[in-house]
Amino acid sequence: MKDGDAIRIYNQRGEMRARARVTDDVPPGTVWMRDGWLGLNTLTEGAAVIPDDAVDIFGFSGGQASFDAAVEVAPA
């Protein structure tokens, strides 16, 4: 895979397509994306990392979600 290649990112939850940006800033074997990409949430779990009954203890109004996922990457 090289910089600019069209790629398919997928797992058991779904898939999305993107263009690869290959850089030494991201370790080999790691995929990093900013939030907001169309299709990204189909790959992530989105499970709450703070239980609902614990949210009131903290000074913010909602629980945070986990948006990590194990994915495969292949040429598109």
Side-chain angles (χ1 to χ4, degrees), residues 1 5 7 10 13-14 17 19-20 26-29 31 33 37 40 47 49 60 63-64 67-69 75-76:
M1 192 104 17
D5 283 353
I7 57 173
Y10 64 97
R13 294 183 183 107
R17 304 214 178 226
R19 291 232 175 251
V26 177
V31 175
M33 295 185 84
W37 282 85
L40 180 61
V49 295
F60 48 85
Q64 295 181 0
F67 292 111
D68 59 339

Side-chain angles (χ1 to χ4, degrees), residues 17-43:
R17 304 214 178 226
R19 291 232 175 251
R21 180 157 189 319
V22 180
T23 172
D24 291 335
D25 294 336
V26 177
T30 304
V31 175
W32 181 86
M33 295 185 84
R34 295 188 71 71
D35 60 345
W37 282 85
L38 184 62
L40 180 61
N41 287 344
T42 63
L43 303 174

Side-chain angles (χ1 to χ4, degrees), residues 50-67:
I50 301 174
D52 289 340
D53 56 347
V55 172
D56 292 338
I57 296 170
F58 300 98
F60 48 85
S61 61
Q64 295 181 0
S66 171
F67 292 111

